[in-house]
Amino acid sequence: MTGTVSDPDALRRRALAALLAARDRTSLLTTCVEEPELTAQHSPLMSPLVWDLAHIGNQEEMWLLRAVAGRDAMRPEIDGLYDAFEHPRSERPSLPLLSPAEARGYAAEVRGRAIDVLESTPFRGSQLTDAGFAFGMIAQHEQQHDETMLITHQLRSGPAVLTAPDPAPAPQFRGPAEVLVPGGPFTMGTSTEPWALDNERPAHHRLVPPFFIDTTPVTNADYQRFIADGGYEEQRWWAPAGWDMVRGNGLSAPLFWRREGGQWLRRHFGTVEAVPPDEPVLHVSWYEADAYARWAGRRLPSEEEWEKAARHDPATDRSMRYPWGDTDPTPERANLGQRHLRPAPAGSYPAGESPLGVRQLIGDVWEWTSSDFLPYPGFAPFPYREYSDVFFGGDYKVLRGGAFSVDEVACRGTFRNWDHPIRRQIFSGFRTARDAGPAEAS
């Protein structure tokens, strides 16, 4: 779907496909475990899986049945239970939640009615329905909770219950370690992408000095060199709060890693495996990414640098939807949608590289940037303040690019993710950057 599609029938088909794909994934993530595991809290950082399941249905009802179609609430008494701002995750197991069977039934009934609404709603007349925005928003919301549930699956103990083929083997990448992104203005954000969320808007100009950025994400082998060189033991590499985190929690490696028999092992969706050297490093906090970059004599890219590297085409001087152009992601271009349960080796997906030759900017791992999560000039909250506006100005750091855990409907060159700099359970990695000297910039 291009960013300027105006054919309502095409958008309706797109919305239906996105909603169905999200529900298929939700079903996969909630039918592969027994009921006790659906109702258990596998980490205080996460909700019980059954909460996510009913919350998905509740949000769909609120926005598609009530806000778009003007229908009465189906179960108004549960709204408070599934309000993410009313109850923190640590409290949710103690709430009188719907049982797994009730949650499935509720979500299925809402979906049936929502499809009727989709078929009859004109994609015009209000900001909520223009270009089918509300339906795209709900598909993205469900996929975002699917990613959250996938994180819960990684955190849970017990044997593996999810399977997926590994990414296709890729030839060892032999390209340059970094590329120069020329300085100058570019268009950041979007005012035309039909389903872009409020924090991606509006499009605006940024002037970015020339810089170098890694051609691929930092790998496990790269990160192991940082560990071996005493990276977790040298205070000089760490931001003060990061050093406090390392010392206070006894950290010495990414989350889920352990040293055994002279090698690094990791727990990965219920199995234990040797850490693959060529994969992008995963489950590192912003503080760890920042410390590695300092150790390497580099820095994390800013959010605007990341987006310029991912979207700007120097040949046409325009910003594209994706590094490869304006067409939608395909399996040849990016590792998305839980097709695999791991990142592909660094340097994979040559068909998805940017005009400057930067690879894996979309998919594989979320990439930490140096930037705080702030609104763009001209930002307007829509359709509710709690999606973005209430998070601006906190300690949140921006992540870009999506991961193997992200569906394409919730991933594009303008998409912004954010989290606390201490978070490690998310599917986060990074790449580094550096300033270009005067002689290098020409």
Side-chain angles (χ1 to χ4, degrees):
M1 178 180 70
T2 65
T4 57
V5 164
S6 57
D7 178 0
D9 290 335
L11 282 165
R12 208 178 307 277
R13 290 192 297 272
R14 170 77 178 206
L16 178 61
L19 289 167
L20 294 178
R23 188 52 50 87
D24 286 346
R25 188 177 175 197
T26 299
S27 297
L28 171 66
L29 291 163
T30 55
T31 58
C32 60
V33 292
E34 299 296 329
E35 182 168 327
E37 295 212 57
L38 288 175
T39 57
Q41 186 172 46
H42 298 279
S43 164
L45 295 173
M46 312 305 290
S47 306
L49 292 170
V50 73
W51 185 93
D52 287 287
L53 176 58
H55 171 78
I56 286 167
N58 186 244
Q59 288 293 296
E60 187 167 335
E61 185 203 345
M62 291 177 66
W63 287 105
L64 301 188
L65 303 190
R66 302 185 206 175
V68 171
R71 299 184 182 181
D72 292 337
M74 291 169 56
R75 299 193 63 169
E77 75 279 3
I78 69 171
D79 286 354
L81 297 176
Y82 299 102
D83 184 334
F85 287 87
E86 189 167 331
H87 301 285
R89 288 174 175 174
S90 59
E91 292 180 2
R92 292 172 190 172
S94 63
L95 299 175
L97 303 176
L98 299 182
S99 70
E102 290 172 321
R104 288 193 184 99
Y106 170 62
E109 185 175 359
V110 171
R111 173 52 56 85
R113 298 184 186 188
I115 290 175
D116 291 340
V117 172
L118 172 63
E119 292 172 351
S120 61
T121 299
F123 282 6
R124 63 185 185 279
S126 76
Q127 192 176 0
L128 195 59
T129 57
D130 283 350
F133 174 83
F135 299 93
M137 178 185 73
I138 287 301
Q140 291 178 81
H141 174 265
E142 182 162 356
Q143 286 285 3
Q144 288 169 324
H145 275 272
D146 288 340
E147 182 179 17
T148 299
M149 290 193 285
L150 188 64
I151 292 170
T152 301
H153 274 278
Q154 169 63 10
L155 288 164
R156 61 176 283 276
S157 59
V161 295
L162 295 171
T163 60
D166 286 343
Q172 184 177 2
F173 179 68
R174 300 189 182 279
E178 62 178 7
V179 300
L180 172 67
V181 180
F186 88 107
T187 300
M188 186 172 184
T190 180
S191 297
T192 59
E193 185 74 31
W195 296 347
L197 303 171
D198 61 1
N199 62 62
E200 302 171 65
R201 301 174 182 270
H204 59 286
H205 292 296
R206 294 282 182 104
L207 181 63
V208 180
F211 65 98
F212 284 90
I213 193 167
D214 290 341
T215 312
T216 69
V218 170
T219 67
N220 290 320
D222 296 329
Y223 201 83
Q224 286 172 21
R225 286 189 280 274
F226 168 65
I227 298 172
D229 197 42
Y232 282 84
E233 300 160 12
E234 291 278 353
Q235 184 175 357
R236 59 181 168 150
W237 306 130
W238 297 83
W243 184 244
D244 290 344
M245 179 188 74
V246 167
R247 306 313 291 174
N249 295 281
L251 303 184
S252 59
L255 186 62
F256 306 117
W257 285 30
R258 71 172 188 260
R259 188 77 172 166
E260 186 175 299
Q263 66 174 336
W264 284 107
L265 304 177
R266 72 176 181 189
R267 183 164 59 82
H268 183 74
F269 292 109
T271 64
V272 175
E273 63 181 20
V275 172
D278 294 335
E279 282 186 13
V281 67
L282 195 61
H283 298 302
V284 289
S285 67
W286 183 90
Y287 289 123
E288 288 166 295
D290 178 64
Y292 173 95
R294 294 176 195 232
W295 168 82
R298 297 171 69 83
R299 58 176 174 81
L300 295 179
S302 68
E303 182 181 14
E304 59 201 57
E305 287 175 331
W306 188 97
E307 187 168 327
K308 184 168 186 180
R311 297 186 62 213
H312 186 66
D313 181 3
T316 60
D317 195 32
R318 74 179 187 90
S319 291
M320 306 178 296
R321 295 179 69 221
Y322 297 99
W324 56 83
D326 294 332
T327 54
D328 291 338
T330 63
E332 294 73 35
R333 292 179 174 135
N335 180 8
L336 293 167
Q338 201 182 312
R339 286 191 298 267
H340 312 295
L341 287 173
R342 62 177 68 244
S348 298
Y349 303 106
E353 72 179 18
S354 75
L356 295 172
V358 186
R359 296 195 179 184
Q360 292 168 287
L361 286 159
I362 297 293
D364 286 304
V365 293
W366 285 109
E367 298 185 13
W368 288 109
T369 72
S370 64
S371 298
D372 297 330
F373 185 51
L374 296 170
Y376 290 159
F379 167 82
F382 175 77
Y384 58 103
R385 286 191 63 245
E386 290 78 12
Y387 182 72
S388 305
D389 195 38
V390 298
F391 297 100
F392 293 140
D395 74 337
Y396 299 98
K397 293 294 185 180
V398 175
L399 302 103
R400 288 301 207 104
F404 67 89
S405 53
V406 178
D407 187 78
E408 67 173 78
V409 76
C411 182
R412 48 196 162 263
T414 58
F415 193 92
R416 307 172 76 195
N417 190 9
W418 65 95
D419 213 329
H420 295 292
I422 62 172
R423 292 291 186 244
R424 309 207 302 161
Q425 84 278 11
I426 59 178
F427 299 112
S428 52
F430 64 100
R431 71 181 72 216
T432 67
R434 68 177 178 91
D435 298 342
E440 297 173 306
S442 58

